[in-house]
Amino acid sequence: MKPNTVLRHALWTIGPNPDRDPPTVHTACKECGEKSPVGTDRAASDPWALEHSGRTGHRRYHECVSVDLITRPAHEETTR
Ligand SMILES: [Zn+2]
């Protein structure tokens, strides 16, 4: 840090990135770890879990949703 560096306290926020790719979702079996294909349609992962239950008898799942986030100073205007 140079002697002339100015530090200031600023409030930052975090939220969805307006330039993000669509959120993705997949379902994972909590009993064996097998995962459905990753996609952008939540309804597509449910049939995978139902088929997996029918094939294995496993009944416990974890739904994993991934959304790109972005941080920015709170005073920065969001125009999108
Ligand atoms: Zn399983």
Side-chain angles (χ1 to χ4, degrees):
M1 185 179 326
K2 296 185 271 183
N4 61 350
T5 299
V6 175
L7 299 177
R8 67 182 172 105
H9 178 78
L11 183 62
W12 281 62
T13 63
I14 187 167
N17 183 345
D19 298 324
R20 70 184 183 271
D21 292 329
T24 59
V25 63
H26 74 272
T27 301
C29 176
K30 293 182 80 170
E31 298 183 44
C32 72
E34 191 172 328
K35 297 176 183 174
S36 73
V38 176
T40 57
D41 182 7
R42 183 187 172 275
S45 64
D46 289 350
W48 174 88
L50 295 170
E51 185 278 331
H52 185 80
S53 288
R55 184 168 41 86
T56 64
H58 298 164
R59 294 180 161 193
R60 298 173 358 132
Y61 295 90
H62 185 79
E63 183 177 70
C64 306
V65 178
S66 177
V67 178
D68 290 343
L69 301 176
I70 189 168
T71 60
R72 63 173 56 108
H75 68 274
E76 203 172 87
E77 187 173 328
T78 58
T79 56
R80 289 184 247 183

